[in-house]
Amino acid sequence: MDGIDVAAAEFRMGEDGWLELRPLGCLELAYPGELRAELLAALPPAECSARQLCRLDTMVGRAFGVAALRGLTELCDGRADLVGSLGQTIYHWVEDGRCEGTLQLGQPAWIAEATGLPVVADLRARDVAAGGHGAPLVGLFDQLWLGHRARRTAALNLGGIANISVVGGAVPPLAYDTGPGNALLDAATRLLPERRERDEGGRLAAIGSPHPGLLSILLADPYYELAPPKSTGKEHYTADYLRAALDRVAEPPEGPDLLATLVELTARTVARECERQEATRVVASGGGVHNATLMAALSRHLAPAELVTSAAEGLPADGKEGYLAALLGLLTFCGQPGNLPATTGAVGPRPLGSITPGRTALRLPEPWPRQPVALRCVQGNNTGADGGHITGEPVRTGG
């Protein structure tokens, strides 16, 4: 809930089955302050009335519409074919290791009204209905993007929750949530006397030291011992969760020491899973890559595995979530499944989401005869050696 990520991409399917993604740019827009406060206040264990849920769904949808229109204007010269929206997760319902449901806010009608474009939204629910966790949906993206490599690679997303997709090599792909990314860190900074929203760059954590007692309590969370595929969410790693752990410590850490402990928690739980999956290279993206203290801790615990950001593979680290939404919207629009059952636990591949028409009659393209075999990120004007288009018509999508 730090803000709204907007990314624009041009996609082109090659005759060889490779799908090319040309990043057109990305933006991060802040939620209106009052809306962000209301979203945070609605997270479990708080109660949320039907009236409040309706208001939030509408207000997030309106904010998404404003963000999408700005992305359309600033990143695409006003031209695009569709919009993909992952929505704002407000609740992820997991019981006994099984995902029973998931709820994302951001009514897509407001995006369609603001942009005039068709919108593919509610992308997680179909995977859940097919027995999956609805997360992490990035597994298919990472398999197409990095799975053709001989090296076993973990694509790491450091959002509120940290998740990995482990692809490449001779082992089938696997993706799941490892535990907290920034969720507990952000909750802790809001508990500080200054009530900051986040520890910018990890500067406070850098001058602290991990508290062994609190770290042991946090690492004993049963979630870390569950077998993948598995998922969790901010409804688990809350401020109350953190307070309960602190109450069990005789002399609980404060300020920098508390933040240093939570950095260590994220770094250790991520590194443990990457080691368990025998990843030799970790490609990180998401807001957490800007926390220098977290990245240093990750590098230390991941060694000898290599840690790089997604920019090393041609994809801006801040925009990956937006590019994922764009890809999933495109796949649905072109009649292809958007989940990877091996990574979500679904019983099979499924087309994802629902389509809200734009201002004109909805016209879907001819379905692709097959799923892309791989994804490559390209720069420049995306033309062939003779100066002409490589193959096919480009499709511009926003996420």
Side-chain angles (χ1 to χ4, degrees):
M1 296 179 180
D2 291 339
I4 305 167
D5 294 323
V6 184
E10 183 174 286
F11 290 94
R12 197 183 297 266
M13 178 69 92
E15 293 178 355
D16 57 0
W18 281 68
L19 181 64
E20 294 192 344
L21 183 164
R22 182 163 72 96
L24 301 177
C26 52
L27 305 168
E28 183 180 349
L29 310 179
Y31 272 122
E34 182 180 345
L35 173 55
R36 184 170 188 270
E38 287 194 43
L39 283 168
L40 290 169
L43 289 175
E47 295 295 325
C48 186
S49 68
R51 177 181 182 276
Q52 187 180 10
L53 202 59
C54 178
R55 287 185 69 254
L56 289 174
D57 190 37
T58 299
M59 292 164 65
V60 172
R62 288 174 177 170
F64 281 4
V66 170
L69 183 59
R70 182 170 163 186
L72 181 65
T73 303
E74 296 183 16
L75 305 176
C76 308
D77 299 324
R79 297 181 298 112
D81 296 285
L82 69 143
V83 179
S85 175
L86 282 164
Q88 175 63 67
T89 298
I90 195 76
Y91 189 71
H92 196 63
W93 177 19
V94 179
E95 287 188 10
D96 299 324
R98 176 183 172 86
C99 184
E100 300 288 352
T102 188
L103 179 62
Q104 285 73 42
L105 302 183
Q107 171 52 244
W110 293 99
I111 307 174
E113 190 63 26
T115 62
L117 300 173
V119 180
V120 185
D122 198 20
L123 290 159
R124 300 187 188 277
R126 183 63 185 279
D127 183 81
V128 172
H133 279 260
L137 289 181
V138 74
L140 178 61
F141 186 109
D142 292 329
Q143 171 65 13
L144 293 173
W145 180 38
L146 302 170
H148 59 283
R149 311 285 177 85
R151 231 172 142 182
R152 191 76 170 149
T153 301
L156 167 65
N157 178 57
L158 290 169
I161 301 299
N163 60 65
I164 57 170
S165 304
V166 190
V167 298
V171 184
L174 189 66
Y176 55 98
D177 294 338
T178 63
N182 306 312
L184 289 179
L185 281 162
D186 291 348
T189 58
R190 289 191 287 272
L191 295 177
L192 298 178
E194 303 89 345
R195 290 192 172 273
R196 304 183 183 191
E197 290 298 330
R198 65 185 65 86
D199 180 16
E200 292 287 351
R203 287 188 282 271
L204 282 175
I207 61 175
S209 299
H211 187 284
L214 177 60
L215 184 60
S216 295
I217 290 169
L218 293 170
L219 286 171
D221 188 321
Y223 179 77
Y224 304 125
E225 300 306 319
L226 296 177
K230 58 182 179 177
S231 62
T232 187
K234 282 178 145 180
E235 67 282 345
H236 180 64
Y237 297 106
T238 64
D240 285 347
Y241 173 97
L242 182 57
R243 288 190 190 98
L246 287 167
D247 287 345
R248 296 171 58 190
V249 180
E251 296 183 7
E254 297 179 353
D257 289 346
L258 174 57
L259 295 172
T261 304
L262 298 175
V263 162
E264 190 74 3
L265 173 69
T266 293
R268 285 200 191 186
T269 51
V270 167
R272 176 191 295 176
E273 296 304 320
C274 291
E275 181 180 6
R276 182 178 296 177
Q277 303 304 332
E278 300 181 346
T280 61
R281 190 167 192 254
V282 178
V283 182
S285 62
V289 303
H290 299 296
N291 185 325
T293 307
L294 174 57
M295 291 297 283
L298 275 169
S299 182
R300 185 171 65 252
H301 285 294
L302 285 167
E306 177 189 17
L307 174 65
V308 299
T309 70
S310 62
E313 296 287 347
L315 199 67
D318 288 332
K320 188 181 176 187
E321 199 84 0
Y323 290 116
L324 168 64
L327 174 67
L328 295 179
L330 173 73
L331 291 173
T332 295
F333 215 59
C334 295
Q336 290 295 321
N339 66 335
L340 190 63
T343 64
T344 66
V347 296
R350 299 289 188 270
L352 303 180
S354 302
I355 302 176
T356 300
R359 292 200 189 103
T360 59
L362 182 63
R363 289 189 175 90
L364 298 178
E366 282 294 316
W368 287 345
R370 60 172 177 164
Q371 200 173 42
V373 299
L375 175 76
R376 62 175 154 242
C377 299
V378 299
Q379 306 296 325
N381 62 7
N382 210 14
T383 59
D386 60 355
H389 292 311
I390 296 173
T391 57
E393 290 298 317
V395 178
R396 289 188 171 198
T397 72

